[in-house]
Amino acid sequence: MKKTKFLNVYNNPQQLRKILQIDIIVTLILFISPLVHHAQDVNNIQSNAAFAEKIYLQLDGKVYTAGNTVWFKSIVANANEHIPTTLSGVLYVELIAPNETVVEKKLIKIENGIGEGFFYLDKKLSEGLYLIRAYTQWDKNFETDFFFKEYIHVFTAQKKEGIPPINNVTLINGLNSENHLEASFNPLYIDSLHKKKLTVFVAIGDKTDTLYVKKDLDKKYKIKYTLPDTCHFATLQMQTANKYNCSKTIILDDKFIDLQFFPESGELVHGLPNKLGVKALDAYGKGMKITGDIVDEQDSSVASFSTNSLGMGSFVLSHVDSTINYFSKIDSQSANDYSKLYTLPKVARLGNVLSASRRENNIVLTALSNYMANDSIFLHMSHRGIKYYELKVGLTEGVFSMTIPNDNFPEGIVLFTMLDKLKKPVAERLFFNEMPDKRIKISHALDKKIYQRREQTKLKIKTTNSEGKPVNANISVLVINQKQLGKMQDMKQNILSYFLLDSELKGEIESPGFYFSNDFIKCF
């Protein structure tokens, strides 16, 4: 391993505050979801996850009609370097129905990490959301962390007649502010063999009630459910006797905004400059563009913030006090006159902050503490479970900062950990090390601009490295309607976002392709 050249060490708190106010958070999503790595002692050279295999399936679509074929290409790489696997020669790919039964299972031969296959969707398949799951025998050693999962919608060729599965959903405002939700269910729409009781799940917030519903005198399945006083939305899910599922989310307050704040290294700390990520979601769970202010208990503004089209943004609080509570107020003009105070995380009296930001081709890493003034600390740096560096450094007036060339790490998520002198972790920061210049450049040329139906198309594809020299590549081509699906294709998951983000983080990432597009670069 080559030695790292560290530059620009800052120990002046005033100079440092200026740095933190200038730098921006490049990838806010890293605040939202924990890294998929197994618990490990920081002294270990690598985690078990570094030995896993990552799997990506390139599908030819997301929506299909029963009677058609799902074509896919599979790429299997090692988790550490993202190069074609040398461990597995067989990939298991399953098509799983909405009732969680395996419809079909394929064994795909893998050569140099590449394979291909298909699923024929029988005309007798029922409509619903089907799961395509892929894994190797080797990846079973890591539970399901590295299983590939992708959902597809399957529709029947002819429109299904009859009453929808969940229907007549009604919100009733009763006396004494007691509200009820009424709904009817038709299990035969999704399961023609269903008999007897129907299982209905009602999910509100983090609470889920299970109901066993019998037919009423009209031979219909109905529920009347009392809603809590503060309820913005509810999800109804029915499950038939044969385990077929159907769900529907009912928005009870379409002005509801879920506003979340994420301190950079886990907590707000008294007396230190704190950088926070912010995420704004509408009632339908989608990101929304808003502006707002951060205020103290006296309603004095201490900072302002804004979010992009995916509801994400960041801001810096130059000084926070553990004896004061802080709140956020959304600008009414950006939220349809929706007025509400949102409480920020509680400020810790004692604590540490580990900050990381991008500056040109360097990573600025800063450690701050409000109780370790001139103590020694350790900085641990790892990537995909592999430890790259561990340094022993000294705090001066509770601050230490260094600049690290970003090419000392591969592209992707880098984990920085701050440890005290006893090597106990006290702060952690995930940072996305973006290196677009290191990626393969792909260009193409067509022999003409307009083609007739089924006319032969001649396509030339050129792949080069960052120096413009030709490189070998395994290419797949997907042709779509640019006007109808082009924007969607740019925003959805792709092989780049999967290997560098989706496979490294737990939880759902909205429009992952956005973070590798020009639109994201323009936001910052």
Side-chain angles (χ1 to χ4, degrees), residues 369-396:
S369 178
N370 68 357
Y371 66 90
M372 294 187 291
N374 299 291
D375 294 45
S376 296
I377 61 169
F378 293 87
L379 295 176
H380 180 273
M381 310 173 195
S382 63
H383 176 79
R384 299 191 190 118
I386 302 295
K387 182 170 78 173
Y388 273 65
Y389 309 102
E390 185 175 285
L391 307 174
K392 183 178 182 180
V393 299
L395 297 173
T396 300

Side-chain angles (χ1 to χ4, degrees), residues 283-494:
Y284 301 90
K286 298 297 182 181
M288 61 184 300
K289 196 171 184 176
I290 64 169
T291 59
D293 294 301
I294 306 299
V295 298
D296 59 20
E297 296 171 338
Q298 306 302 319
D299 200 32
S300 298
S301 178
V302 295
S304 60
F305 67 91
S306 62
T307 63
N308 60 20
S309 59
L310 290 181
M312 302 174 70
S314 64
F315 62 94
V316 173
L317 293 176
S318 59
H319 179 91
V320 291
D321 190 325
S322 61
T323 64
I324 297 176
N325 293 315
Y326 296 89
F327 308 89
S328 67
K329 297 169 64 175
I330 298 176
D331 183 353
S332 61
Q333 295 180 355
S334 67
N336 296 321
D337 295 325
Y338 188 88
S339 60
K340 180 181 176 181
L341 281 179
Y342 296 83
T343 304
L344 267 65
K346 185 71 177 175
V347 179
R349 185 176 64 85
L350 298 176
N352 307 276
V353 170
L354 187 60
S355 176
S357 58
R358 177 72 176 262
R359 176 171 297 170
E360 297 180 346
N361 294 323
N362 297 298
I363 302 171
V364 178
L365 184 65
T366 305
L368 305 97
S369 178
N370 68 357
Y371 66 90
M372 294 187 291
N374 299 291
D375 294 45
S376 296
I377 61 169
F378 293 87
L379 295 176
H380 180 273
M381 310 173 195
S382 63
H383 176 79
R384 299 191 190 118
I386 302 295
K387 182 170 78 173
Y388 273 65
Y389 309 102
E390 185 175 285
L391 307 174
K392 183 178 182 180
V393 299
L395 297 173
T396 300
E397 297 181 41
V399 177
F400 177 84
S401 184
M402 62 168 54
T403 300
I404 311 169
N406 73 322
D407 60 5
N408 283 354
F409 302 100
E411 185 170 27
I413 296 174
V414 180
L415 173 62
F416 296 110
T417 306
M418 176 181 174
L419 306 95
D420 62 18
K421 59 186 177 183
L422 300 177
K423 286 199 170 184
K424 177 183 177 181
V426 293
E428 187 175 88
R429 171 69 155 94
L430 298 179
F431 178 83
F432 185 75
N433 187 31
E434 189 174 20
M435 304 176 69
D437 294 339
K438 302 293 185 180
R439 301 170 192 162
I440 291 178
K441 306 297 187 294
I442 303 175
S443 59
H444 69 278
L446 297 167
D447 60 332
K448 54 194 302 186
K449 291 185 177 181
I450 299 176
Y451 296 90
Q452 301 299 319
R453 184 185 295 272
R454 297 189 180 278
E455 182 181 356
Q456 183 181 26
T457 303
K458 294 182 179 180
L459 175 65
K460 292 183 179 180
I461 299 177
K462 184 178 180 181
T463 55
T464 58
N465 60 18
S466 58
E467 298 175 352
K469 297 179 179 180
V471 294
N472 292 326
N474 191 301
I475 301 292
S476 60
V477 177
L478 177 66
V479 180
I480 61 172
N481 187 310
Q482 174 70 22
K483 186 175 182 180
Q484 295 178 351
L485 302 173
K487 187 66 175 178
M488 182 188 302
Q489 186 70 21
D490 290 340
M491 301 287 278
K492 70 186 288 289
Q493 176 183 275
N494 55 55

Side-chain angles (χ1 to χ4, degrees), residues 54-218:
K54 289 186 181 180
I55 302 159
Y56 179 75
L57 261 58
Q58 176 67 63
L59 307 180
D60 65 335
K62 290 275 289 183
V63 179
Y64 299 88
T65 303
N68 286 340
T69 301
V70 179
W71 296 95
F72 62 84
K73 178 178 180 179
S74 55
I75 299 96
V76 185
N78 69 40
N80 180 30
E81 300 173 290
H82 290 165
I83 60 177
T85 184
T86 57
L87 286 174
S88 300
V90 176
L91 179 69
Y92 298 85
V93 187
E94 298 171 337
L95 177 65
I96 301 174
N99 65 346
E100 299 183 358
T101 60
V102 177
V103 177
E104 190 174 359
K105 186 174 184 177
K106 297 275 189 177
L107 273 65
I108 305 300
K109 183 179 180 181
I110 300 298
E111 293 184 292
N112 297 320
I114 304 295
E116 56 186 34
F118 67 91
F119 286 112
Y120 173 71
L121 302 176
D122 193 285
K123 292 182 179 180
K124 296 181 181 180
L125 285 180
S126 60
E127 286 188 356
L129 203 61
Y130 285 72
L131 172 65
I132 293 181
R133 181 172 65 189
Y135 57 91
T136 63
Q137 283 290 347
W138 176 253
D139 272 341
K140 287 185 175 180
N141 293 307
F142 309 94
E143 298 181 345
T144 60
D145 283 349
F146 293 93
F147 282 27
F148 176 87
K149 297 178 181 180
E150 181 79 66
Y151 285 93
I152 61 172
H153 291 268
V154 176
F155 296 92
T156 56
Q158 296 180 346
K159 184 174 177 61
K160 204 167 186 177
E161 300 296 334
I163 302 173
I166 302 177
N167 58 85
N168 295 330
V169 179
T170 308
L171 177 64
I172 299 176
N173 296 317
L175 299 175
N176 301 321
S177 300
E178 189 176 83
N179 298 328
H180 293 87
L181 186 66
E182 294 186 358
S184 299
F185 302 86
N186 177 24
L188 298 180
Y189 191 93
I190 60 173
D191 182 3
S192 60
L193 300 178
H194 173 80
K195 295 179 181 179
K196 299 182 180 179
K197 291 182 180 179
L198 179 68
T199 304
V200 174
F201 304 99
V202 182
I204 298 175
D206 57 359
K207 176 186 175 184
T208 300
D209 281 346
T210 303
L211 312 176
Y212 298 100
V213 185
K214 296 180 179 179
K215 288 184 179 180
D216 62 11
L217 296 177
D218 296 328

Side-chain angles (χ1 to χ4, degrees), residues 252-279:
L252 306 174
D253 179 7
D254 59 4
K255 291 184 178 181
F256 171 74
I257 298 174
D258 181 12
L259 192 59
Q260 305 169 30
F261 295 93
F262 305 93
E264 183 174 14
S265 54
E267 63 180 359
L268 293 176
V269 181
H270 175 87
L272 300 180
N274 290 261
K275 190 184 297 183
L276 292 91
V278 56
K279 176 75 173 179

